[in-house]
């Protein structure tokens, strides 16, 4: 059985199994990728979240709305595991529901750019297509704190300093 998720976003309700855009500990090679995503994805590819900034956190990053770009990966859930994956990611990201006061992140729908092939025509900065995806952005209280005293991550790319072999 496939779970269909319905939520309200600016512009109306969404009822779809949207892909997920990840930019921190869920990236390939990071520890939460294997813990939460191994065997649960049918596809992963590089992607960019426009109109966002990336801030350093306590072992993981936060993305917020802003005038920048965040680099990450677009994940498509494997057949039959969408509901399970959504629940796991909501738990990991401490998302309790839209606007909940104890949220660490808000799960929102955003347009994500998929890089095009070299030389292929596409909108701005060589981007190929654009797709709607779930993105976990810092909740309102966290965003306020980041804007006043957070450490911005240059270029919108989060790394832990690990080598590709995980060491």
């Amino acid at each position: 059985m496939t779970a269909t998720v319905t939520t309200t976003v600016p512009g109306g309700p969404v009822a779809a199994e949207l892909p997920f855009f990840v930019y921190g500990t869920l990236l390939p090679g990071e520890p939460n990728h294997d813990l939460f995503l191994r065997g649960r994805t049918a596809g992963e590819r590089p992607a960019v979240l426009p109109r966002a900034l990336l801030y350093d956190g306590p072992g993981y990053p936060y993305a917020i709305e802003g005038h920048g770009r965040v680099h990450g990966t677009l994940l498509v859930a494997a057949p039959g595991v969408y509901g399970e994956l959504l629940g796991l990611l909501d738990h990991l990201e401490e998302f309790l529901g839209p606007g909940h006061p104890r949220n660490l992140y808000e799960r929102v729908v955003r347009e994500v750019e998929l890089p095009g092939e070299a030389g292929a025509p596409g909108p701005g900065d060589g981007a190929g297509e654009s797709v709607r995806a779930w993105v976990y952005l810092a909740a309102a209280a966290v965003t306020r704190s980041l804007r006043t005293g957070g450490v911005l991550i240059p270029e919108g790319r989060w790394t832990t300093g690990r080598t590709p072999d995980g060491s």
Side-chain angles (χ1 to χ4, degrees):
M1 177 179 197
T2 302
T4 299
V5 176
T6 303
T7 192
T8 302
V9 297
V14 173
E17 289 189 358
L18 295 175
F20 299 90
F21 174 79
V22 300
Y23 54 85
T25 65
L26 290 164
L27 289 168
E30 295 297 330
N32 284 335
H33 184 275
D34 283 350
L35 287 172
F36 292 90
L37 301 175
R38 185 180 297 260
R40 293 184 177 103
T41 64
E44 302 179 9
R45 64 185 280 197
V48 175
L49 176 64
R51 295 173 302 285
L53 297 170
L54 197 60
Y55 281 85
D56 204 9
Y60 47 86
Y62 295 101
I64 68 170
E65 301 285 345
H67 298 290
R69 298 165 61 82
V70 173
H71 298 267
T73 299
L74 187 73
L75 310 169
V76 175
V81 301
Y82 189 84
E84 173 192 5
L85 183 58
L86 184 67
L88 286 168
L89 296 180
D90 281 355
H91 179 74
L92 173 68
E93 307 295 5
E94 298 183 40
F95 171 71
L96 304 173
H100 194 285
R102 291 194 343 244
N103 282 349
L104 185 59
Y105 291 89
E106 291 286 340
R107 178 171 35 91
V108 297
V109 176
R110 292 290 184 268
E111 291 289 322
V112 175
E113 297 171 355
L114 301 173
E117 298 298 318
D125 293 333
E129 63 184 299
S130 176
V131 298
R132 290 167 50 104
W134 288 120
V135 179
Y136 291 89
L137 296 178
V142 176
T143 296
R144 282 191 298 275
S145 175
L146 292 169
R147 287 192 190 280
T148 59
V151 177
L152 185 65
I153 297 174
E155 307 293 321
R157 293 181 194 273
W158 188 76
T159 60
T160 60
R162 286 184 185 76
T163 60
D165 67 2
S167 60

